[in-house]
Amino acid sequence: MLIKDSDSCEILRALGELKHLRFLALGWRGLERVPNTITKLLNLQVLDLRACRYIEELPKDVRKLVDLKHIYLHEYVEFAHMPKGIGELTSLQTLPIFVVGHKGDDETANGAAGLEELRELNSLGGELKIANLGHAEPVTVSGYVLKNKLRLQSLVLKWGYPDYDDATRSANDEEMLEMLRPHPDLKKLEIHAYQGVNLPNWLSTMTNLVDFKLINCVECEYLPPLHLCPSLKKLHISCCTKLLGIRDDYFYFSDDDAGNDDFPCFPALSSLKITFCDMLKRMPLFPTVDAQLELDECWAYPLLCTMMMKSSNLSSPPLSQLSSLLLVDLDDLEYLPEEGVCNLTSLQKLVIRRCPRLATLPPAMRRLTCLQILIIKGCPLLKERCREGEGEDWPNISHIPSVELSD
């Protein structure tokens, strides 16, 4: 049954009489609450609420729908919590989001499911987002709650916080993330607003992990050795303002080590995006990146080390398959190495913005015959040298079809 906006509210109230209904889709965009009467539909297998953008909660007696296999929700739905008892729906295969309730609110806590209720939902597959993890405490959760969810492909972990001190928050988060260790075949993992200083070492044991995002983890200082994840192709790190990189135990380097081939490398990385991580310097190199490389308000040093790797140790020269390179707000970027630029033979788009110390582009730019677009913005020294027909570096870039220079 599909119920649309134009249908009468009376139909919603009468839903409980349709005892044999198996599929129910509510196409009512403005609907805020699903009537509790639907929990009389004991044969219901699919509840589709993807059209209900403003729905605030699931029915409080949803635990009665023991045959329910799929709950579909709007991408941007915002729940305060999940209803207590949802963990009894052990046939559930699709649940896009699980929201941990704020136990500090007695009224909410009495009807809210704790993180522990996820433990028995082992048929869940596809993507699962767990939100408001800061509302849970490790003492209320025993052991790993996700390890038996073998069908799960994508996991998003989002913290949100009640009011308590930072020291407690950091310790709680590190313990909680350890308990949220997923099965090792997970393909995609996102961690948002985590407040721990360290990330768990189980991250580097995720042999099938393809896509990893670390967003707004402002207290995090160290990464585990992510280069030990052999399948990792996409890495996005953003707004981790205290992140230094991988711990010194894994490798050491000094500012004189550019071109040192002893540095660890990501073996299969295709796309790398690092933004607003202005302390990030110690990280594995990334010679295989071929889709997009974006560095914004972070250190340029890992890029220079990658560009100067000796290709004799690689199946192809470093970054030789890269198609798009964005360099933004790199205060330490003073030059692009001639030998490294020579390897960028597949580059189609190069964007350089607000790199004030970068003063010149090397003659090797002439070899980049695939380069179609060059954008230079907010680089006063470079802008003058690249001015059409006049600048000293113009002969190095005159073959590029589209060159844009601006303040």
Side-chain angles (χ1 to χ4, degrees):
M1 173 179 281
L2 170 63
I3 300 178
K4 299 180 180 178
D5 292 20
S6 56
D7 295 318
S8 170
C9 295
E10 308 244 346
I11 296 179
L12 288 176
R13 287 193 286 269
L15 276 176
E17 306 303 319
L18 305 175
K19 302 294 186 183
H20 301 289
L21 195 64
R22 292 172 181 251
F23 180 99
L24 175 62
L26 300 182
W28 197 326
R29 177 176 168 79
L31 187 67
E32 295 181 357
R33 294 177 183 271
V34 180
N36 204 49
T37 53
I38 75 160
T39 60
K40 296 179 181 179
L41 305 175
L42 301 185
N43 292 297
L44 193 66
Q45 295 183 9
V46 178
L47 178 59
D48 189 344
L49 303 173
R50 281 176 288 195
C52 305
R53 166 66 178 88
Y54 301 105
I55 194 166
E56 296 177 352
E57 60 184 8
L58 293 173
K60 65 178 181 179
D61 293 326
V62 72
R63 69 201 310 168
K64 296 179 181 179
L65 300 177
V66 293
D67 283 347
L68 198 58
K69 292 186 169 83
H70 305 282
I71 300 177
Y72 298 108
L73 300 168
H74 190 281
E75 181 181 3
Y76 300 112
V77 72
E78 295 182 3
F79 288 162
H81 57 82
M82 307 309 285
K84 185 173 287 189
I86 196 170
E88 297 175 28
L89 304 182
T90 54
S91 297
L92 207 55
Q93 298 174 23
T94 303
L95 181 66
I97 185 168
F98 186 97
V99 183
V100 181
H102 190 347
K103 57 190 173 301
D105 182 338
D106 291 338
E107 182 177 350
T108 297
N110 289 336
L115 189 61
E116 186 78 13
E117 293 210 37
L118 268 178
R119 184 183 303 280
E120 301 304 321
L121 301 182
N122 289 329
S123 295
L124 288 179
E127 178 176 303
L128 172 64
K129 177 166 66 176
I130 307 176
N132 288 355
L133 278 164
H135 293 168
E137 287 186 4
V139 294
T140 65
V141 183
S142 58
Y144 300 113
V145 296
L146 299 176
K147 68 174 184 178
N148 292 324
K149 293 169 179 49
L150 303 181
R151 297 180 62 249
L152 206 60
Q153 297 295 300
S154 175
L155 178 64
V156 180
L157 303 175
K158 302 188 77 169
W159 269 257
Y161 302 93
D163 295 327
Y164 53 80
D165 66 272
D166 289 343
T168 301
R169 176 182 298 176
S170 179
N172 277 356
D173 284 12
E174 291 191 12
E175 190 174 351
M176 184 63 66
L177 188 52
E178 184 62 41
M179 292 178 177
L180 291 168
R181 179 175 185 165
H183 67 87
D185 292 332
L186 192 77
K187 298 290 192 297
K188 181 178 180 180
L189 175 64
E190 297 185 20
I191 299 175
H192 295 253
Y194 168 74
Q195 298 291 296
V197 173
N198 298 294
L199 290 165
N201 279 330
W202 58 252
L203 264 170
S204 60
T205 68
M206 305 293 288
T207 55
N208 291 292
L209 190 66
V210 174
D211 189 341
F212 177 56
K213 293 182 180 179
L214 187 70
I215 310 294
N216 199 29
C217 300
V218 295
E219 298 298 325
C220 188
E221 295 180 3
Y222 297 107
L223 297 168
L226 291 174
H227 60 285
L228 299 181
C229 299
S231 302
L232 189 63
K233 292 186 176 180
K234 295 181 179 180
L235 177 61
H236 180 187
I237 304 174
S238 182
C239 299
C240 300
T241 52
K242 293 184 180 179
L243 189 64
L244 301 171
I246 291 182
R247 279 189 176 279
D248 288 342
D249 319 5
Y250 296 106
F251 66 94
Y252 301 84
F253 63 78
S254 70
D255 288 347
D256 298 323
D257 281 339
N260 185 340
D261 288 339
D262 293 331
F263 288 175
C265 298
F266 291 105
L269 202 64
S270 176
S271 176
L272 175 62
K273 183 177 181 179
I274 301 176
T275 61
F276 308 112
C277 300
D278 54 5
M279 297 182 69
L280 179 57
K281 185 174 183 180
R282 294 192 296 271
M283 64 175 293
L285 307 186
F286 36 87
T288 62
V289 170
D290 56 9
Q292 183 183 52
L293 174 56
E294 179 177 349
L295 303 177
D296 184 345
E297 201 169 314
C298 59
W299 282 73
Y301 186 66
L303 169 67
L304 299 180
C305 289
T306 299
M307 294 180 73
M308 297 175 68
M309 290 179 66
K310 294 179 177 61
S311 57
S312 59
N313 294 338
L314 304 169
S315 59
S316 60
L319 303 179
S320 59
Q321 302 302 311
L322 182 64
S323 60
S324 177
L325 176 59
L326 284 77
L327 306 175
V328 183
D329 285 318
L330 304 183
D331 291 339
D332 66 318
L333 182 62
E334 297 181 359
Y335 70 100
L336 292 175
E338 177 86 13
E339 57 270 43
V341 171
C342 283
N343 294 328
L344 303 179
T345 52
S346 299
L347 195 65
Q348 298 177 29
K349 181 177 181 179
L350 173 60
V351 178
I352 304 173
R353 295 203 305 261
R354 297 187 300 277
C355 296
R357 300 176 70 180
L358 183 61
T360 184
L361 293 178
M365 293 288 297
R366 304 181 190 189
R367 301 190 185 186
L368 307 188
T369 56
C370 291
L371 190 59
Q372 299 295 305
I373 299 173
L374 172 63
I375 298 174
I376 298 173
K377 183 176 182 179
C379 306
L381 299 177
L382 195 57
K383 177 186 173 184
E384 288 304 313
R385 290 185 63 95
C386 292
R387 192 177 298 279
E388 182 176 357
E390 302 175 2
E392 295 178 59
D393 288 346
W394 174 250
N396 299 337
I397 62 172
S398 60
H399 65 287
I400 302 172
S402 176
V403 176
E404 179 184 327
L405 306 175
S406 59
D407 295 327

